[in-house]
């Protein structure tokens, strides 16, 4: 059935997105069960779900990598990506939303809209992904569907209304009321396979009418046709309301809300109906924007049609023990077939497709061809990386790549034996291919490999995979914060001179630079303003290389320099003694001087932290956060639970999970995500310099 051809209007490419532990994987598992793709329900707690197939996922009960699958419902084909909820694996959400047409955002009926919920919401906004929401766990103690519905409006800023609502909460939960069709849905069996659709009971009728009135009003805010009926107090039919909801969702101006409990097998089929009825097909999405690689100014639009030239984006690279590298690919236009020779416009290289697969988590189904709107896996590519474009050479185009988050935590690695040194490099290259949010550098001073990532858990999983999948043990240094240096003021006419006469040919390099702070996120920018040939053109690249090399190691404690603009304005050269290395060294001298005179300071990553605890522990939790240099930004309630939001330096958050557990008898939880970089206070900066020096000295002994 998977290989059967479906017209594009019958295809849905959707993601399941949410905060950690909201129930994404359980919801996906139920979707596969009710659509007949699996015949036995798995459980995250037991580690036997289809989508969480990695050993680390089974052990920890969390999703680490986004998993693809394909299923079918009411003559529609639905490609699903189940994404992680943990902030350390946000790249998986980022690249999934990049290629999806719609999303189901899962919310917990007790915890409501949490920090990572807001993050994935912003990511979906950035890629203009229409979505609907499922308020899960309405049977849990403390569940409150209406409070969470309100949070979607206040915290997410969504124009949201319920298309069904629960009949009672917690252990009294019985079924859901469909306010579009005005029907009552219950289930005849524990597995939730047999839906019973009946008339709404009398005691729920007033609530159902009220919720339908609110729904029509909210849909009317996004759709003129419904608004006209609403203002004229005309009856809105089921078909008219469905059409209005769909138009509102496609414009991302309306968020339909559903209720249920995936773990107890209630309310999942209405999600599938809503996906089919309201989320976009590839035809409902605007043509994808691309550029002509031969003429950067020319903008191309590729429509979702098999008759258009091929435009496909490789959004994820993974390794399979049996077939090698797998390249997850979204085809936006045209057709791809096994055996095709394609053109990678990002690298100007030919690639051959040896095999094409439909993925069902880690299981594979071989297919011969795939057309526009499909999400498939390709085998056989040699040089292609994440975020690169595949097309045909005669119709080249470059699709927009992905936004890669900056790493915030580093860790030192040392193989336990010399023989493992080369092996380490090969393994890390494999991980770098798979994970664009991972960085690897070699520290010459300490002879250590430094890996950097999105958090402690991210790096912990990498180390664990090295050991399990490749049998490589390594000595590990404690996680280090990815500090940066940045200047605070502009400095001009800084001179860098390197002159050496030690017998034979000498060395001569002389540069003059300006340096100034740049907007956040700029990195290091080099500008050449040499006129009149005071430095020959062949040495300009040498100066730039020297600037780049020196900004990798700042003057305070050797951390990278960021957000700086270095402008080369003057210099001189010697006909015989000037060389590439002399100008590189002169540039390094000038940059060091510019950093010293420009008031270079430490910048540290600040995390947005959200801690939830019972009221009696609130004072303790806030007191502890204050000792961690926290800036409290919000205090609120979720029922009897107190919620504290704060901005806290990452350096103060290591091992916070254990500290919070002991302070609150294990009754509190927290989440955090990178927020921004800020200047380090002077007293802390002195400690950083001292600790870094002590560390370097210990490595040299």
């Amino acid at each position: 059935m998977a290989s059967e051809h479906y017209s594009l209007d019958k295809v849905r490419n959707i993601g399941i997105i949410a905060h950690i532990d909201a129930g994404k994987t359980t919801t996906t598992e139920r979707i596969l069960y009710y659509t007949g793709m699996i015949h036995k329900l798995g459980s995250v707690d037991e580690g036997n779900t289809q989508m969480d197939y990695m050993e680390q996922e089974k052990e920890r009960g969390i999703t680490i990598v986004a998993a693809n699958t394909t299923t079918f419902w009411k003559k529609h084909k639905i490609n699903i990506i189940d994404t992680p909820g943990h902030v350390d694996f946000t790249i998986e959400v980022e690249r999934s939303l990049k290629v999806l047409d719609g999303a189901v955002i899962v919310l917990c009926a007790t915890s409501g809209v949490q920090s990572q919920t807001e993050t994935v919401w912003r990511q979906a906004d950035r890629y203009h992904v229409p979505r609907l929401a499922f308020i899960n766990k309405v049977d849990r103690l403390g569940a409150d569907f209406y409070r969470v519905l309100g949070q979607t409006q206040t915290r997410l800023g969504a124009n949201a209304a319920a298309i069904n609502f629960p009949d009672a909460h917690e252990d009294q939960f019985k079924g859901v009321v469909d306010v579009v069709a005005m029907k009552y849905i219950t289930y005849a069996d524990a597995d939730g396979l047999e839906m019973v659709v009946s008339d709404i009971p009398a005691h729920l009728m007033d609530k159902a009418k009220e919720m339908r009135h609110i729904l029509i009003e909210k849909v009317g805010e996004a759709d003129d046709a419904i608004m006209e009926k609403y203002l004229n107090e005309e009856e809105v039919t089921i078909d008219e309301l469905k059409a209005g909801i769909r138009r509102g969702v496609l414009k991302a101006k309306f968020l339909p809300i559903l209720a249920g409990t995936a773990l107890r097998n209630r309310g999942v089929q209405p999600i599938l109906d809503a996906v089919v009825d309201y989320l976009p097909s590839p035809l409902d999405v605007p043509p994808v924007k691309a550029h002509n690689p031969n003429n950067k100014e020319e903008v191309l639009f590729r429509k979702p049609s098999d008759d258009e030239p091929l435009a496909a984006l490789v959004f994820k690279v993974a390794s399979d023990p049996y077939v090698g590298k797998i390249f997850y690919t979204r085809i936006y236009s045209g057709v791809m077939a096994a055996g095709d020779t394609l053109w990678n416009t990002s690298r100007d290289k030919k690639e051959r497709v040896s095999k094409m697969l439909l993925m069902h988590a880690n299981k594979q189904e071989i297919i011969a061809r795939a057309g526009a709107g499909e999400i498939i896996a390709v085998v056989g590519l040699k040089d292609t990386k994440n975020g690169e474009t595949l097309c045909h050479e005669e119709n080249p185009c470059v699709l927009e790549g992905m936004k890669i988050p900056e790493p915030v935590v580093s860790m030192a690695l040392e193989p336990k034996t010399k023989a493992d040194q080369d092996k380490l490099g090969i393994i890390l290259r494999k991980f770098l291919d798979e994970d664009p949010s991972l960085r690897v550098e070699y520290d010459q001073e300490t002879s250590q490999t430094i890996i950097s990532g999105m958090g402690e858990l991210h790096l912990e999983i990498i180390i664990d995979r090295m050991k399990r999948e490749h049998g490589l043990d390594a000595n590990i240094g404690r996680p280090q914060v990815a500090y940066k240096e940045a200047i605070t003021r502009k400095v001009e006419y800084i001179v860098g001179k390197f002159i050496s006469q030690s017998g034979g040919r000498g060395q001569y390099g002389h540069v003059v630079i300006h340096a100034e702070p740049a907007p956040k996120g700029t990195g290091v920018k080099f500008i050449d303003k040499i006129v009149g040939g005071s430095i020959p053109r062949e040495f300009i690249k040498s100066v730039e290389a020297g600037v780049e090399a020196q900004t990798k190691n700042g003057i305070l404690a050797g951390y990278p320099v960021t957000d700086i603009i270095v402008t080369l304005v003057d210099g001189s050269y010697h006909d015989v003694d000037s060389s590439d290395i002399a100008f590189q060294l002169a540039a390094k001298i000038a940059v060091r001087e510019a950093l010293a005179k420009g008031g270079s300071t430490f910048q540290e990553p600040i995390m947005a932290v959200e801690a939830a605890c019972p009221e009696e522990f609130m004072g303790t939790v806030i007191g502890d956060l204050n000792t961690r240099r926290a800036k409290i930004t919000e205090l609120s309630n979720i029922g009897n639970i107190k919620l504290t939001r704060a901005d806290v330096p990452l350096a103060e958050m290591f091992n916070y999970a254990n500290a919070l557990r002991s302070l609150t008898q294990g009754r509190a939880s927290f989440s955090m995500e990178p927020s921004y970089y800020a200047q380090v206070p002077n007293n802390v900066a002195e400690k950083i310099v001292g600790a870094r020096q002590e560390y370097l000295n210990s490595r040299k002994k």
Side-chain angles (χ1 to χ4, degrees):
M1 192 172 183
S3 341
E4 185 185 325
H5 183 70
Y6 280 73
S7 60
L8 280 182
D9 63 318
K10 301 290 185 189
V11 174
R12 301 288 183 272
N13 295 313
I14 67 162
I16 312 289
I17 60 175
H19 186 92
I20 191 168
D21 204 32
K24 296 176 302 302
T25 300
T26 303
T27 302
T28 309
E29 187 80 1
R30 270 51 182 175
I31 286 172
L32 295 178
Y33 182 60
Y34 298 133
T35 54
M37 295 305 292
I38 60 174
H39 304 291
K40 183 186 174 191
L41 284 171
S43 162
V44 171
D45 293 336
E46 292 173 18
N48 59 355
T49 63
Q50 288 288 305
M51 306 304 273
D52 285 352
Y53 56 85
M54 285 174 62
E55 286 304 316
Q56 292 90 342
E57 292 177 318
K58 292 176 183 179
E59 288 172 3
R60 296 165 190 264
I62 61 169
T63 302
I64 292 169
V65 296
N68 295 43
T69 192
T70 301
T71 192
F72 306 88
W73 183 254
K74 295 188 175 176
K75 298 182 179 177
H76 284 70
K77 179 178 183 177
I78 305 174
N79 297 315
I80 301 172
I81 301 181
D82 175 29
T83 65
H86 199 288
V87 65
D88 283 21
F89 310 109
T90 190
I91 183 64
E92 294 286 340
V93 184
E94 188 80 29
R95 57 186 172 190
S96 299
L97 286 173
K98 168 73 180 166
V99 299
L100 291 169
D101 301 327
V104 176
I105 185 161
V106 182
L107 303 164
C108 173
T110 54
S111 304
V113 174
Q114 297 166 278
S115 59
Q116 187 65 6
T117 316
E118 295 180 47
T119 301
V120 297
W121 183 267
R122 288 194 300 270
Q123 288 172 304
D125 276 344
R126 184 160 61 244
Y127 293 116
H128 310 292
V129 177
R131 63 216 87 140
L132 54 88
F134 174 55
I135 298 179
N136 190 24
K137 305 185 182 182
V138 294
D139 61 324
R140 286 268 293 268
L141 191 66
D144 188 339
F145 172 82
Y146 301 102
R147 176 177 53 78
V148 181
L149 172 56
Q151 286 182 346
T152 62
Q153 298 163 344
T154 55
R155 285 201 182 173
L156 300 179
N159 174 32
I163 58 174
N164 67 33
F165 66 90
D167 174 11
H169 290 89
E170 301 182 354
D171 58 354
Q172 302 298 309
F173 172 66
K174 300 178 186 71
V176 295
V177 178
D178 180 347
V179 295
V180 176
M182 290 300 277
K183 292 291 181 183
Y184 184 55
I185 300 169
T186 54
Y187 293 84
D189 60 323
D191 281 353
L193 278 168
E194 194 180 333
M195 266 180 29
V196 179
V197 180
S198 56
D199 292 334
I200 298 172
H203 72 280
L204 289 170
M205 186 54 79
D206 286 348
K207 185 68 178 176
K209 286 178 179 176
E210 179 197 341
M211 295 298 281
R212 195 173 202 270
H213 181 79
I214 293 170
L215 173 63
I216 292 169
E217 182 185 358
K218 291 286 187 182
V219 174
E221 290 177 22
D223 185 75
D224 292 341
I226 299 294
M227 179 55 80
E228 192 175 330
K229 288 235 171 194
Y230 174 75
L231 292 174
N232 294 329
E233 297 184 359
E234 296 176 28
E235 181 62 32
V236 179
T237 67
I238 293 172
D239 288 343
E240 286 172 342
L241 184 52
K242 279 188 172 182
I245 292 170
R246 180 173 175 78
R247 289 192 295 268
V249 170
L250 295 185
K251 290 184 285 188
K253 289 186 175 178
F254 177 67
L255 178 71
I257 307 278
L258 300 99
T261 165
L263 188 63
R264 300 284 172 258
N265 315 314
R266 302 287 185 263
V268 176
Q269 290 94 333
I271 301 173
L272 285 161
D273 289 338
V275 165
V276 166
D277 289 341
Y278 307 130
L279 288 182
S281 74
L283 293 175
D284 297 313
V285 178
V288 69
K289 188 176 171 183
H291 291 274
N292 183 343
N294 303 320
N295 176 7
K296 301 291 185 190
E297 301 302 311
E298 186 184 351
V299 178
L300 308 170
F301 290 96
R302 296 285 193 245
K303 295 175 187 170
S305 165
D306 289 359
D307 299 327
E308 286 271 303
L310 177 68
L313 183 76
V314 174
F315 65 93
K316 177 177 173 178
V317 180
S319 294
D320 183 274
Y322 304 107
V323 297
K325 278 188 184 177
I326 294 177
F327 300 82
Y328 288 87
T329 305
R330 166 71 194 258
I331 302 174
Y332 287 99
S333 63
V335 174
M336 189 185 292
D340 278 0
T341 298
L342 304 179
W343 186 251
N344 180 332
T345 46
S346 309
R347 294 181 176 270
D348 285 340
K349 287 195 173 181
K350 284 184 179 178
E351 293 277 31
R352 188 175 179 278
V353 177
S354 62
K355 195 188 294 183
M356 289 165 55
L357 309 166
L358 265 188
M359 299 299 295
H360 303 285
N362 61 337
K363 298 181 178 66
Q364 303 156 2
E365 177 187 343
I366 297 174
I367 55 173
R369 71 185 290 284
E374 293 286 351
I375 293 176
I376 58 161
V378 174
V379 178
L381 310 183
K382 301 293 183 193
D383 299 305
T384 300
K385 307 285 184 196
N386 285 288
E388 296 184 348
T389 304
L390 298 174
C391 57
H392 288 128
E393 196 171 357
E394 60 273 18
N395 283 298
C397 68
V398 180
L399 297 165
E400 185 187 359
M402 291 171 290
K403 179 179 180 288
I404 307 300
E406 281 295 311
V408 294
V409 175
S410 300
M411 189 182 279
L413 282 184
E414 277 183 333
K416 289 194 172 175
T417 66
K418 285 281 186 190
D420 282 340
Q421 185 68 53
D422 291 340
K423 190 177 176 184
L424 175 67
I426 293 165
I427 294 166
L428 287 176
R429 271 195 295 277
K430 169 183 170 289
F431 286 142
L432 285 169
D433 284 346
E434 294 179 12
D435 186 351
S437 64
L438 184 69
R439 302 278 196 282
V440 176
E441 291 177 341
Y442 186 73
D443 190 325
Q444 298 287 352
E445 285 191 72
T446 62
S447 303
Q448 287 179 312
T449 299
I450 308 296
I451 61 171
S452 305
M454 298 307 299
E456 284 182 273
L457 182 61
H458 184 197
L459 299 184
E460 199 180 303
I461 295 295
I462 295 291
I463 303 296
D464 192 36
R465 287 185 63 195
M466 280 171 51
K467 188 173 181 179
R468 290 195 195 199
E469 296 173 21
H470 303 280
L472 180 70
D473 257 338
N475 295 319
I476 302 158
R478 76 179 285 274
Q480 302 284 327
V481 176
Y483 291 109
K484 293 183 179 179
E485 288 184 30
I487 60 172
T488 54
R489 56 183 176 270
K490 183 175 182 179
V491 288
E492 297 184 321
Y493 301 108
I494 304 296
V495 177
K497 253 184 187 179
F498 181 78
I499 303 171
S500 172
Q501 292 291 343
S502 53
R505 181 182 165 181
Q507 295 286 353
Y508 183 93
H510 170 220
V511 301
V512 181
I513 64 170
H514 297 338
E516 60 187 299
K520 288 197 180 301
T522 304
V524 178
K525 188 175 180 183
F526 175 78
I527 299 172
D528 167 28
K529 283 197 175 175
I530 290 293
V531 289
S534 57
I535 298 177
R537 302 311 307 165
E538 65 263 28
F539 293 133
I540 301 295
K541 281 285 180 194
S542 308
V543 176
E544 186 175 359
V547 169
E548 190 179 316
Q550 187 56 55
T551 51
K552 285 181 179 174
N553 296 283
I555 59 169
L556 299 179
Y559 290 107
V561 179
T562 189
D563 300 337
I564 185 173
I565 299 170
V566 176
T567 306
L568 178 63
V569 294
D570 201 1
S572 63
Y573 71 102
H574 188 280
D575 287 334
V576 177
D577 291 349
S578 284
S579 65
D580 167 56
I581 193 68
F583 273 101
Q584 280 196 43
L585 292 169
K588 283 185 168 188
I589 292 165
V591 170
R592 282 200 296 271
E593 182 76 7
L595 291 173
K597 290 185 174 176
S600 192
T601 59
F602 282 120
Q603 304 281 310
E604 65 180 343
I606 304 295
M607 311 300 284
V609 176
E610 183 179 278
C613 66
E615 188 170 0
E616 62 263 36
F617 297 109
M618 188 179 180
T620 309
V621 169
I622 291 176
D624 179 66
L625 283 171
N626 285 333
T627 67
R628 297 171 185 271
R629 296 193 281 131
K631 178 184 173 187
I632 308 295
T633 56
E634 185 187 333
L635 297 171
S636 58
N637 299 343
I638 302 179
N640 297 324
I641 297 295
K642 295 291 182 181
L643 198 69
T644 305
R645 291 185 170 204
D647 291 341
V648 193
L650 175 62
E652 307 291 345
M653 290 302 292
F654 289 124
N655 208 28
Y656 182 62
N658 291 335
L660 187 65
R661 212 172 289 137
S662 62
L663 286 170
T664 61
Q665 298 168 17
R667 294 172 63 193
S669 62
F670 85 102
S671 61
M672 68 176 183
E673 58 176 327
S675 187
Y676 57 92
Y677 267 81
Q679 188 173 328
V680 177
N682 289 336
N683 61 322
V684 179
E686 289 169 13
K687 289 180 188 172
I688 294 168
V689 174
R692 177 76 168 171
Q693 199 53 54
E694 190 179 316
Y695 169 70
L696 292 174
N697 291 340
S698 70
R699 295 295 309 154
K700 289 173 182 173
K701 285 178 184 175

